[in-house]
Amino acid sequence: MATVSLQKGDIVWGKLGRYPPWPGKIVNPPKDLKKPRGKKCLFVKFFGTEDHAWIKVEQLKPYHENKEEMIKANKGKRFQQSVDAVEDFLKKRKAKESSSDEKAKHGTSGKKKAEGKTKKKTGEEKKKKTGEEKKKKTGEEKKKKTGEEKKKKTGEEKKKKSASSKLSQKKSAAPSPRKRGRPPKDEKGSVFPQPISLKKLAMKTVSRFSWPPPSSELQRSKDDPHFHHFLLSQTEKEDTAGNSWLLHHHRSLGSEMILKKPSVTYQAISKRLKVSEEDSGSTSIQAADSTAINGNITPTDKKIGFLGLGLMGSGIVSNLLKMGHTVTVWNRTAEKCDLFVQEGAHLGRTPAEVVSTCDITFACVADPKAAKDLVLGPSGVLQGIRPGKCYVDMSTVDPETVAELAQVIVSRGGRFLEAPVSGNQQLSNDGMLVILAAGDQGVYEDCSSCFQAMGKASFFLGEVGNAARMMLILNMVQGSFMATIAEGMTLAQVTGQSQQTLLDILNQGQLANIFLDQKCQNILQGNFKPDFYLKYIQKDLRLAIALGDSVNHPTPMAAAANEVYKRAKALDQSDNDMSAVYRAYIH
């Protein structure tokens, strides 16, 4: 997008990373939100959502000049709602401005009327004075004529007045009696209150007084009716008493606000679009609403390749095709490709052929050995890499394997991104995975529409290896938790407690979550159909323990859980769901 001259209050189209352009308004950021380093950015609040972000100036376009172009390119429901929100805002702003103009006109006409009245009054006063002067002259003439007649009468009247004035002076000299209990008055007639009255007045005033919201926030919200959106999504600093306050409610285009302690929930946090910059320079971007984003995808015109159609890969490819991407697939067992070819995918004969014919090639395989074989083996990825070709490895492997693959890809002029995914088969089918990416940020941005199709959120974590480390930590926590669930269920059984009742109690407490409920249901029903293979979670635990060893960090909980999974594998549970670890406790 071309650089334009923009300022606070302007309505714009803003493009954030891999997301499509969205209408927003340039506003002032919260004081505690740091501006990203590097290129010039402006803070934008997006319409139709509660999202906000720092956007590079070159990624902004004026709203009106580009409206038709953007509406043609995006047809989603949420997108249209956001455009409607912009138009509604512009109408209200126009009405407000016209109202102000009318008031200004009324003020001018009122001033002219007042000036007219003043002139009229001045004319009347002049006429009055002229009349008085004429009467005075006439009176003086009459006085001259009758002066001699009145002299005698006037002398007598003066004597009478003098006598009466002397009498009144004597009366006023006598002191006037004052009523008991009334306070003395000053010259203006005001009464001084007694001390007890002051005390009552002070107490009454304090009891009725309440602190208003900070004037700065009130003013900002009056000036900008959309300002409250990013106040809602910013966590304020806690005060010394540990109280955190948020702007909780605001009526559109009004000034009514209520300050209230927030109830911070996972759902509220997951609906925000977060852009954070850490000391390491890594950035994370989370989608506000996966449904909204999946409904507004403009598929890239780049050719996409996909290698590996297992539990996760199958769901990913299906969603890429649904969202209109051009996809070429390959799998070690070719029969798995047939279904996707029927859905519109192209078939690649070898990994090398897929990479050479596609712009971006994704791969999702079982473990480090499979990832290396796919790249370095016969007719592998490396043979198809040419300068500019992009390779994205979505497998969960160790940081050392990722670094090795990145090195060989880049050495051939290719571009590399690691992007392991957090989720299971169901989330993959639903397009609700979480993608952790690291490596070439340009490739990450090129994969924009693909990540939108397959996931609800994606995070760019910086240099190669960071995504692998984060993924292993996540799966270490998940695997350890699953082993603890199985341990609790078997302990309930051997002590004569109802496993169903244990689950019911857990679902009413702080540990209630979908993962817990699903895995306990598997145990209760004895159904261990794989949603996440047990052998893969054991592999991830092993790699996470090795990661801890590499930095001399203890992982005793993960080590204990790993031993239980190893026992389950020995009981032939490798190809069952991870919840089959329960069987390690009952045999």
Side-chain angles (χ1 to χ4, degrees), residues 37-66:
R37 291 168 292 184
K39 295 186 179 180
K40 186 179 178 183
C41 297
L42 292 171
F43 196 76
V44 177
K45 155 69 186 67
F46 293 103
F47 285 90
T49 70
E50 290 190 5
D51 302 340
H52 54 269
W54 287 105
I55 307 293
K56 294 176 183 177
V57 172
E58 59 265 28
Q59 297 296 325
L60 296 172
K61 280 187 177 181
Y63 176 77
H64 294 289
E65 292 87 332
N66 300 276

Side-chain angles (χ1 to χ4, degrees), residues 122-139:
T122 306
E124 289 175 355
E125 287 176 354
K126 284 182 180 179
K127 287 180 182 179
K128 191 175 180 182
K129 284 181 180 180
T130 307
E132 288 176 354
E133 286 174 359
K134 288 180 180 178
K135 286 179 181 179
K136 191 175 181 182
K137 287 180 180 178
T138 308

Side-chain angles (χ1 to χ4, degrees), residues 10 32 45 58 75 81 112 132 149 155 157 202 210 222 239 278 300 315 339 367 378 385 406 411 530 532 584:
D10 287 349
D32 58 347
K45 155 69 186 67
E58 59 265 28
K75 301 292 183 183
Q81 288 174 349
K112 288 180 180 178
E132 288 176 354
E149 295 176 359
E157 287 175 1
S210 61
K222 286 178 182 177
D239 59 18
E278 301 176 356
T300 180
L339 177 62
D367 52 35
I385 288 290
S411 69
F532 192 117

Side-chain angles (χ1 to χ4, degrees), residues 5-23:
S5 178
L6 298 168
Q7 59 186 356
K8 178 192 167 187
D10 287 349
I11 308 300
V12 295
W13 295 98
K15 189 175 189 318
L16 175 62
R18 61 190 182 83
Y19 301 106
W22 206 265

Side-chain angles (χ1 to χ4, degrees), residues 48 79 127 160 225 246 252 302 320 471 508 546 549 569:
F79 176 81
K127 287 180 182 179
K160 288 180 182 179
L246 291 178
S252 182
K302 296 180 183 297
L320 288 172
M471 191 72 247
Q508 294 301 316
D549 289 343
K569 284 177 69 178

Side-chain angles (χ1 to χ4, degrees), residues 321-384:
L321 291 169
K322 284 177 186 176
M323 296 304 164
H325 294 84
T326 301
V327 185
T328 300
V329 295
W330 174 89
N331 193 68
R332 188 174 52 186
T333 51
E335 293 79 11
K336 284 190 176 182
C337 298
D338 294 342
L339 177 62
F340 300 105
V341 171
Q342 291 173 17
E343 291 181 6
H346 301 288
L347 179 64
R349 292 176 296 180
T350 64
E353 181 183 284
V354 173
V355 173
S356 63
T357 57
C358 296
D359 301 303
I360 303 172
T361 301
F362 294 87
C364 187
V365 293
D367 52 35
K369 183 180 184 304
K372 288 180 182 179
D373 289 345
L374 188 61
V375 174
L376 305 172
S379 301
V381 169
L382 196 60
Q383 292 184 21

Side-chain angles (χ1 to χ4, degrees), residues 394-496:
M394 308 190 80
S395 314
T396 301
V397 297
D398 56 282
E400 291 75 22
T401 297
V402 170
E404 183 181 343
L405 295 179
Q407 184 179 3
V408 296
I409 295 293
V410 173
S411 69
R412 292 289 183 92
R415 302 168 67 193
F416 182 84
L417 184 77
E418 58 167 330
V421 292
S422 177
N424 54 32
Q425 184 182 24
Q426 185 61 50
L427 294 175
S428 177
N429 293 339
D430 294 342
M432 296 292 282
L433 296 170
V434 176
I435 300 104
L436 310 182
D440 190 323
Q441 190 165 3
V443 178
Y444 174 71
E445 292 174 357
D446 289 342
C447 293
S448 170
S449 66
C450 298
F451 287 157
Q452 288 179 55
M454 66 180 76
K456 66 176 180 179
S458 66
F459 294 80
F460 183 76
L461 304 177
E463 62 183 18
V464 169
N466 283 344
R469 295 181 186 95
M470 186 67 79
M471 191 72 247
L472 291 177
I473 293 167
L474 288 174
N475 283 356
M476 179 189 76
V477 172
Q478 182 174 266
S480 299
F481 183 45
M482 182 64 250
T484 301
I485 293 170
E487 194 169 293
M489 292 290 276
T490 51
L491 183 60
Q493 184 182 38
V494 299
T495 56

